[in-house]
Amino acid sequence: MCVAKKILFVVLDGAADRPTVAATTPLKAATTPFFDRLAQDGILGIMDVIAPGTPPGSDTAHLSLLGYPVDKVYTGRGPFEAAGVGIKVRPGDIAFRGNFATVKDGIVVDRRAGRIDDTKSLSDAIREQLDLDCEFLFKESAGHRAVLVLRGEGLSPKITQTDPKHVGPFLYSKPIAKDASARRTAKIVNDFTRQVSLILGNHPVNVERSRSNLLPANAVLLRGVGSVPHLVPFEKRTGLKAAVIAATALVIGIGILTGMTYIPTKGATGHIDSNIDEKVKNVNEALKRHTFVLLNIKGADEAGHDGDFNAKTHFLERVDKALSNLEIDDETLVVITADHTTPISLKEHSGDPVPFLIRGQGVRADQTSVFNEYIAATGGMDRICGRDIMPVLTDLLGKGVKFGA
Ligand code: ZN
Ligand code: ZN
Protein backbone atom coordinates (compact mmCIF):
# COMPACT_ATOMS: atom_id res chain seq x y z
CA MET A 1 0.00 0.00 0.00
CA CYS A 2 1.51 3.34 -0.97
CA VAL A 3 1.21 6.60 0.90
CA ALA A 4 -0.33 9.67 -0.73
CA LYS A 5 2.20 12.31 -1.76
CA LYS A 6 0.07 15.26 -2.86
CA ILE A 7 -2.96 17.21 -1.73
CA LEU A 8 -5.65 18.84 -3.81
CA PHE A 9 -7.49 21.20 -1.48
CA VAL A 10 -10.77 22.44 -2.94
CA VAL A 11 -12.53 25.33 -1.23
CA LEU A 12 -16.10 25.86 -2.40
CA ASP A 13 -16.34 29.41 -1.15
CA GLY A 14 -19.40 29.96 1.06
CA ALA A 15 -20.97 26.68 -0.16
CA ALA A 16 -22.32 25.60 3.23
CA ASP A 17 -25.76 26.82 4.26
CA ARG A 18 -28.53 26.66 6.86
CA PRO A 19 -31.81 24.82 6.27
CA THR A 20 -34.54 26.54 4.32
CA VAL A 21 -38.19 26.21 5.36
CA ALA A 22 -38.19 23.01 3.31
CA ALA A 23 -35.38 21.74 5.59
CA THR A 24 -32.82 21.58 2.83
CA THR A 25 -29.64 23.37 1.79
CA PRO A 26 -28.21 24.04 -1.68
CA LEU A 27 -25.59 21.32 -1.10
CA LYS A 28 -28.31 18.88 -0.01
CA ALA A 29 -30.65 19.81 -2.86
CA ALA A 30 -27.96 19.78 -5.55
CA THR A 31 -27.31 16.65 -7.60
CA THR A 32 -23.58 16.10 -7.11
CA PRO A 33 -22.57 12.58 -8.22
CA PHE A 34 -18.85 13.41 -8.21
CA PHE A 35 -18.80 14.72 -4.63
CA ASP A 36 -20.94 11.78 -3.55
CA ARG A 37 -18.51 9.30 -5.10
CA LEU A 38 -15.64 10.98 -3.24
CA ALA A 39 -17.73 10.83 -0.05
CA GLN A 40 -18.35 7.13 -0.55
CA ASP A 41 -14.62 6.42 -0.91
CA GLY A 42 -13.56 8.90 1.75
CA ILE A 43 -14.22 10.20 5.23
CA LEU A 44 -16.44 13.14 6.18
CA GLY A 45 -16.69 15.55 9.06
CA ILE A 46 -17.63 19.09 9.96
CA MET A 47 -15.25 21.88 10.79
CA ASP A 48 -15.29 25.10 12.80
CA VAL A 49 -13.03 27.01 10.45
CA ILE A 50 -12.10 29.65 13.06
CA ALA A 51 -14.09 28.76 16.22
CA PRO A 52 -17.65 27.60 16.95
CA GLY A 53 -20.05 30.47 16.34
CA THR A 54 -17.46 32.78 14.78
CA PRO A 55 -18.39 33.80 11.23
CA PRO A 56 -15.10 33.73 9.31
CA GLY A 57 -14.07 36.17 6.61
CA SER A 58 -12.72 34.49 3.48
CA ASP A 59 -9.26 35.75 4.41
CA THR A 60 -9.12 34.47 7.99
CA ALA A 61 -10.84 31.25 6.88
CA HIS A 62 -8.25 30.44 4.23
CA LEU A 63 -5.38 31.29 6.58
CA SER A 64 -6.86 29.02 9.23
CA LEU A 65 -7.43 26.17 6.76
CA LEU A 66 -3.78 26.49 5.71
CA GLY A 67 -2.79 26.11 9.36
CA TYR A 68 -1.88 29.71 10.27
CA PRO A 69 -2.82 31.11 13.71
CA VAL A 70 -5.16 33.89 12.55
CA ASP A 71 -5.29 35.64 15.91
CA LYS A 72 -1.52 36.21 15.62
CA VAL A 73 -1.06 36.95 11.91
CA TYR A 74 -4.19 38.82 10.89
CA THR A 75 -4.74 42.55 11.31
CA GLY A 76 -6.84 43.29 8.22
CA ARG A 77 -7.76 42.30 4.67
CA GLY A 78 -5.76 45.00 2.86
CA PRO A 79 -2.39 43.20 2.77
CA PHE A 80 -3.82 40.09 1.07
CA GLU A 81 -5.83 42.11 -1.42
CA ALA A 82 -2.73 44.17 -2.27
CA ALA A 83 -0.60 41.05 -2.81
CA GLY A 84 -3.42 39.55 -4.87
CA VAL A 85 -3.43 42.43 -7.36
CA GLY A 86 0.30 42.08 -7.87
CA ILE A 87 1.88 44.54 -5.44
CA LYS A 88 5.05 43.11 -3.95
CA VAL A 89 4.19 43.92 -0.35
CA ARG A 90 6.74 43.56 2.44
CA PRO A 91 6.17 42.62 6.09
CA GLY A 92 5.32 45.78 8.01
CA ASP A 93 3.72 47.58 5.03
CA ILE A 94 0.32 49.10 5.84
CA ALA A 95 -2.19 48.12 3.17
CA PHE A 96 -5.76 49.19 2.42
CA ARG A 97 -8.49 48.19 0.05
CA GLY A 98 -9.91 51.16 -1.80
CA ASN A 99 -13.01 52.13 -3.74
CA PHE A 100 -13.22 54.85 -6.35
CA ALA A 101 -16.30 56.75 -5.21
CA THR A 102 -18.35 59.86 -5.82
CA VAL A 103 -18.24 62.46 -3.05
CA LYS A 104 -20.29 65.65 -3.21
CA ASP A 105 -20.05 68.37 -0.55
CA GLY A 106 -18.47 65.96 1.93
CA ILE A 107 -21.14 63.31 1.37
CA VAL A 108 -20.40 59.95 -0.25
CA VAL A 109 -23.22 59.75 -2.79
CA ASP A 110 -22.00 56.56 -4.52
CA ARG A 111 -19.40 54.20 -3.04
CA ARG A 112 -18.64 52.76 -6.48
CA ALA A 113 -18.66 55.91 -8.62
CA GLY A 114 -21.46 54.59 -10.81
CA ARG A 115 -19.68 51.22 -11.02
CA ILE A 116 -16.86 52.74 -13.03
CA ASP A 117 -14.95 49.92 -14.71
CA ASP A 118 -11.79 51.56 -16.02
CA THR A 119 -9.74 53.58 -13.55
CA LYS A 120 -6.34 53.19 -15.19
CA SER A 121 -5.80 56.83 -16.16
CA LEU A 122 -7.22 58.06 -12.84
CA SER A 123 -4.79 55.73 -11.07
CA ASP A 124 -1.92 56.92 -13.27
CA ALA A 125 -2.68 60.49 -12.21
CA ILE A 126 -2.67 59.48 -8.54
CA ARG A 127 0.64 57.65 -8.96
CA GLU A 128 2.22 60.61 -10.77
CA GLN A 129 0.97 63.47 -8.64
CA LEU A 130 0.45 62.15 -5.12
CA ASP A 131 3.12 63.28 -2.68
CA LEU A 132 2.83 61.65 0.75
CA ASP A 133 5.00 61.80 3.85
CA CYS A 134 6.08 58.18 3.25
CA GLU A 135 6.72 55.79 0.37
CA PHE A 136 3.49 54.52 -1.17
CA LEU A 137 2.16 52.19 -3.87
CA PHE A 138 -1.26 52.61 -5.45
CA LYS A 139 -2.85 50.18 -7.87
CA GLU A 140 -6.21 49.90 -9.53
CA SER A 141 -7.94 46.53 -9.29
CA ALA A 142 -11.14 45.05 -10.77
CA GLY A 143 -13.95 47.53 -11.51
CA HIS A 144 -14.10 50.41 -9.05
CA ARG A 145 -11.58 48.82 -6.68
CA ALA A 146 -8.00 49.75 -5.84
CA VAL A 147 -5.34 49.17 -3.21
CA LEU A 148 -3.04 51.53 -1.33
CA VAL A 149 0.15 50.47 0.42
CA LEU A 150 2.11 52.74 2.77
CA ARG A 151 5.73 51.81 3.44
CA GLY A 152 8.34 52.91 5.94
CA GLU A 153 9.15 53.28 9.61
CA GLY A 154 6.70 54.72 12.14
CA LEU A 155 3.46 53.54 10.49
CA SER A 156 0.60 51.69 12.17
CA PRO A 157 -2.64 49.92 11.16
CA LYS A 158 -4.29 51.24 14.34
CA ILE A 159 -6.41 53.83 12.57
CA THR A 160 -10.02 54.15 11.45
CA GLN A 161 -11.10 53.79 7.82
CA THR A 162 -12.40 56.54 5.56
CA ASP A 163 -15.06 54.39 3.88
CA PRO A 164 -18.42 54.96 5.60
CA LYS A 165 -19.61 51.66 3.97
CA HIS A 166 -22.85 53.34 2.90
CA VAL A 167 -24.12 56.60 1.46
CA GLY A 168 -23.43 59.32 4.00
CA PRO A 169 -20.85 61.75 5.34
CA PHE A 170 -17.26 61.12 4.31
CA LEU A 171 -15.07 59.92 7.19
CA TYR A 172 -11.67 61.18 8.23
CA SER A 173 -9.17 58.70 9.61
CA LYS A 174 -8.43 58.83 13.31
CA PRO A 175 -5.81 57.00 15.38
CA ILE A 176 -7.25 54.28 17.61
CA ALA A 177 -3.99 53.78 19.53
CA LYS A 178 -2.28 56.44 21.60
CA ASP A 179 1.04 56.35 19.82
CA ALA A 180 2.87 58.59 17.43
CA SER A 181 2.84 56.08 14.56
CA ALA A 182 -0.98 55.73 14.63
CA ARG A 183 -1.35 59.52 14.71
CA ARG A 184 1.09 59.88 11.84
CA THR A 185 -0.60 57.18 9.72
CA ALA A 186 -4.05 58.75 10.19
CA LYS A 187 -2.57 62.08 9.13
CA ILE A 188 -1.03 60.53 6.01
CA VAL A 189 -4.36 58.87 5.13
CA ASN A 190 -6.23 62.17 5.48
CA ASP A 191 -3.57 63.83 3.35
CA PHE A 192 -4.09 61.06 0.75
CA THR A 193 -7.81 61.81 0.73
CA ARG A 194 -7.28 65.55 0.34
CA GLN A 195 -4.72 65.20 -2.47
CA VAL A 196 -6.72 62.53 -4.31
CA SER A 197 -9.80 64.76 -4.39
CA LEU A 198 -7.67 67.55 -5.93
CA ILE A 199 -6.02 65.20 -8.44
CA LEU A 200 -9.28 63.56 -9.52
CA GLY A 201 -11.60 66.55 -9.25
CA ASN A 202 -10.77 68.05 -12.63
CA HIS A 203 -9.32 64.97 -14.27
CA PRO A 204 -10.39 64.72 -17.96
CA VAL A 205 -12.02 61.32 -17.29
CA ASN A 206 -14.28 62.89 -14.68
CA VAL A 207 -14.99 65.98 -16.79
CA GLU A 208 -16.11 63.62 -19.55
CA ARG A 209 -18.14 61.48 -17.13
CA SER A 210 -19.97 64.51 -15.80
CA ARG A 211 -20.69 65.66 -19.35
CA SER A 212 -22.18 62.21 -20.09
CA ASN A 213 -24.29 62.30 -16.92
CA LEU A 214 -22.14 59.65 -15.25
CA LEU A 215 -21.02 59.97 -11.65
CA PRO A 216 -17.43 61.26 -11.37
CA ALA A 217 -14.87 59.07 -9.58
CA ASN A 218 -13.53 61.93 -7.49
CA ALA A 219 -12.50 60.15 -4.29
CA VAL A 220 -10.89 56.95 -3.06
CA LEU A 221 -12.41 55.47 0.11
CA LEU A 222 -10.13 53.27 2.18
CA ARG A 223 -10.97 50.26 4.33
CA GLY A 224 -9.60 46.87 5.43
CA VAL A 225 -6.40 48.40 6.80
CA GLY A 226 -3.85 45.87 7.93
CA SER A 227 -0.17 45.39 8.47
CA VAL A 228 1.49 42.87 6.15
CA PRO A 229 2.28 39.95 8.47
CA HIS A 230 5.40 37.82 8.70
CA LEU A 231 4.09 34.49 7.46
CA VAL A 232 6.29 31.42 7.62
CA PRO A 233 6.16 30.08 4.05
CA PHE A 234 3.68 27.26 3.60
CA GLU A 235 6.39 25.05 2.08
CA LYS A 236 8.62 25.55 5.11
CA ARG A 237 5.80 24.65 7.48
CA THR A 238 4.52 21.62 5.60
CA GLY A 239 7.24 20.51 3.19
CA LEU A 240 4.70 20.88 0.37
CA LYS A 241 5.38 22.76 -2.86
CA ALA A 242 2.18 24.70 -3.29
CA ALA A 243 0.20 26.45 -6.02
CA VAL A 244 -2.97 28.52 -5.76
CA ILE A 245 -5.70 28.62 -8.41
CA ALA A 246 -8.34 31.24 -7.66
CA ALA A 247 -10.09 34.22 -9.18
CA THR A 248 -10.44 36.62 -6.26
CA ALA A 249 -7.55 38.90 -5.35
CA LEU A 250 -7.97 38.02 -1.69
CA VAL A 251 -7.34 34.28 -2.06
CA ILE A 252 -4.64 34.85 -4.66
CA GLY A 253 -2.99 37.24 -2.19
CA ILE A 254 -3.12 34.69 0.62
CA GLY A 255 -1.47 32.18 -1.68
CA ILE A 256 1.24 34.64 -2.70
CA LEU A 257 1.93 35.80 0.87
CA THR A 258 2.29 32.21 2.03
CA GLY A 259 4.79 31.59 -0.76
CA MET A 260 2.58 29.65 -3.18
CA THR A 261 2.85 29.88 -6.95
CA TYR A 262 -0.17 31.68 -8.38
CA ILE A 263 -1.48 30.09 -11.57
CA PRO A 264 -3.88 32.45 -13.39
CA THR A 265 -6.96 31.03 -15.12
CA LYS A 266 -8.47 32.42 -18.31
CA GLY A 267 -12.13 33.27 -17.83
CA ALA A 268 -12.10 32.77 -14.05
CA THR A 269 -14.21 35.68 -12.85
CA GLY A 270 -14.95 34.89 -9.22
CA HIS A 271 -18.61 35.10 -10.15
CA ILE A 272 -21.30 32.58 -10.87
CA ASP A 273 -20.37 32.64 -14.60
CA SER A 274 -16.75 31.65 -13.88
CA ASN A 275 -14.98 29.26 -16.23
CA ILE A 276 -14.58 26.27 -13.90
CA ASP A 277 -13.51 23.89 -16.70
CA GLU A 278 -10.47 26.07 -17.32
CA LYS A 279 -9.63 25.97 -13.60
CA VAL A 280 -9.87 22.18 -13.64
CA LYS A 281 -7.42 22.02 -16.57
CA ASN A 282 -5.07 24.25 -14.58
CA VAL A 283 -5.35 22.00 -11.54
CA ASN A 284 -4.56 18.90 -13.61
CA GLU A 285 -1.42 20.62 -14.91
CA ALA A 286 -0.48 22.06 -11.53
CA LEU A 287 -0.63 18.65 -9.85
CA LYS A 288 2.20 17.49 -12.11
CA ARG A 289 4.59 20.05 -10.65
CA HIS A 290 3.29 20.71 -7.14
CA THR A 291 2.52 18.64 -4.08
CA PHE A 292 -0.24 20.97 -2.83
CA VAL A 293 -2.82 22.75 -4.94
CA LEU A 294 -5.31 25.14 -3.39
CA LEU A 295 -8.34 25.59 -5.63
CA ASN A 296 -10.89 28.23 -4.63
CA ILE A 297 -14.21 28.45 -6.46
CA LYS A 298 -16.09 31.56 -5.47
CA GLY A 299 -19.58 31.51 -7.07
CA ALA A 300 -21.56 29.80 -4.29
CA ASP A 301 -20.61 32.56 -1.85
CA GLU A 302 -21.86 35.19 -4.26
CA ALA A 303 -25.19 33.37 -4.66
CA GLY A 304 -25.40 33.14 -0.86
CA HIS A 305 -24.85 36.89 -0.50
CA ASP A 306 -27.59 37.41 -3.12
CA GLY A 307 -29.93 35.13 -1.15
CA ASP A 308 -30.50 33.08 -4.31
CA PHE A 309 -31.12 29.41 -3.39
CA ASN A 310 -31.57 28.20 -6.97
CA ALA A 311 -28.48 30.00 -8.25
CA LYS A 312 -26.39 28.51 -5.42
CA THR A 313 -27.76 25.02 -6.01
CA HIS A 314 -27.23 25.11 -9.76
CA PHE A 315 -23.77 26.56 -9.37
CA LEU A 316 -22.77 23.69 -7.07
CA GLU A 317 -24.11 21.21 -9.65
CA ARG A 318 -22.00 22.92 -12.30
CA VAL A 319 -18.94 22.74 -10.07
CA ASP A 320 -19.52 19.04 -9.39
CA LYS A 321 -19.72 18.32 -13.11
CA ALA A 322 -16.60 20.35 -13.90
CA LEU A 323 -14.61 18.79 -11.05
CA SER A 324 -15.48 15.28 -12.27
CA ASN A 325 -12.83 15.97 -14.96
CA LEU A 326 -10.09 16.25 -12.36
CA GLU A 327 -7.30 13.77 -13.02
CA ILE A 328 -6.75 12.41 -9.54
CA ASP A 329 -4.26 9.58 -9.17
CA ASP A 330 -3.55 7.26 -6.24
CA GLU A 331 -0.89 9.63 -4.94
CA THR A 332 -3.31 12.50 -4.40
CA LEU A 333 -5.46 13.23 -1.38
CA VAL A 334 -8.54 15.23 -2.27
CA VAL A 335 -10.20 17.57 0.19
CA ILE A 336 -13.54 19.21 -0.55
CA THR A 337 -14.77 21.82 1.87
CA ALA A 338 -16.02 25.38 2.27
CA ASP A 339 -14.30 28.32 3.94
CA HIS A 340 -17.50 29.33 5.73
CA THR A 341 -21.25 29.11 5.63
CA THR A 342 -23.03 31.84 3.63
CA PRO A 343 -26.70 31.15 4.37
CA ILE A 344 -29.32 32.19 1.84
CA SER A 345 -31.38 33.31 4.84
CA LEU A 346 -28.68 35.71 6.13
CA LYS A 347 -26.98 36.85 2.89
CA GLU A 348 -23.85 37.05 5.06
CA HIS A 349 -21.31 34.65 6.51
CA SER A 350 -22.32 32.73 9.61
CA GLY A 351 -20.44 30.77 12.26
CA ASP A 352 -21.98 27.37 11.46
CA PRO A 353 -19.47 24.58 10.91
CA VAL A 354 -18.72 23.60 7.29
CA PRO A 355 -18.75 20.07 5.87
CA PHE A 356 -15.53 18.53 4.59
CA LEU A 357 -14.40 15.30 3.00
CA ILE A 358 -11.00 13.68 2.58
CA ARG A 359 -10.47 10.95 0.03
CA GLY A 360 -7.29 9.09 -0.83
CA GLN A 361 -4.65 6.61 0.35
CA GLY A 362 -4.61 5.97 4.08
CA VAL A 363 -8.04 7.46 4.72
CA ARG A 364 -10.28 5.26 6.88
CA ALA A 365 -13.42 5.52 4.75
CA ASP A 366 -16.60 5.86 6.78
CA GLN A 367 -20.20 4.84 6.04
CA THR A 368 -21.16 8.10 4.34
CA SER A 369 -21.87 8.23 0.62
CA VAL A 370 -23.30 11.72 0.12
CA PHE A 371 -21.64 15.13 0.56
CA ASN A 372 -23.71 17.72 2.40
CA GLU A 373 -23.87 19.49 5.78
CA TYR A 374 -26.17 16.87 7.35
CA ILE A 375 -24.38 13.69 6.26
CA ALA A 376 -20.97 15.26 7.00
CA ALA A 377 -22.06 15.69 10.63
CA THR A 378 -22.38 11.88 10.89
CA GLY A 379 -18.97 11.22 9.31
CA GLY A 380 -15.90 9.58 10.79
CA MET A 381 -13.95 12.79 11.31
CA ASP A 382 -16.59 14.17 13.66
CA ARG A 383 -15.99 17.86 14.34
CA ILE A 384 -12.60 19.49 14.04
CA CYS A 385 -11.11 23.00 14.03
CA GLY A 386 -10.00 24.63 10.77
CA ARG A 387 -6.38 24.93 11.88
CA ASP A 388 -6.25 21.15 12.48
CA ILE A 389 -7.00 20.08 8.93
CA MET A 390 -3.45 20.62 7.59
CA PRO A 391 -1.84 18.51 10.37
CA VAL A 392 -4.39 15.75 9.62
CA LEU A 393 -3.48 15.89 5.93
CA THR A 394 0.29 16.06 6.34
CA ASP A 395 0.06 13.14 8.77
CA LEU A 396 -1.79 11.15 6.09
CA LEU A 397 1.19 11.87 3.83
CA GLY A 398 3.44 10.32 6.46
CA LYS A 399 4.87 13.73 7.40
CA GLY A 400 3.23 14.03 10.81
CA VAL A 401 5.36 15.66 13.49
CA LYS A 402 5.83 13.08 16.25
CA PHE A 403 5.17 14.28 19.79
CA GLY A 404 7.25 12.32 22.29
CA ALA A 405 9.76 9.51 21.96
ZN1 ZN B 1 -15.25 32.95 1.48
ZN1 ZN C 1 -18.70 36.09 1.24
Side-chain angles (χ1 to χ4, degrees), residues 13-14 56 58 77 298 301-302 305 339-340 342 348-349:
D13 209 299
S58 287
R77 178 172 178 148
K298 178 77 178 162
D301 180 56
E302 191 175 80
H305 284 289
D339 55 344
H340 47 76
T342 310
E348 236 326 321
H349 303 181

Side-chain angles (χ1 to χ4, degrees), residues 98 128 132 205 215 241 254 343 393:
E128 280 158 23
L132 295 178
V205 167
L215 290 170
K241 192 169 177 295
I254 286 171
L393 298 174

Side-chain angles (χ1 to χ4, degrees), residues 87-104:
I87 292 185
K88 290 196 168 26
V89 291
R90 300 179 192 157
D93 284 352
I94 306 298
F96 306 77
R97 311 170 69 196
N99 266 20
F100 279 89
T102 308
V103 175
K104 207 175 162 202

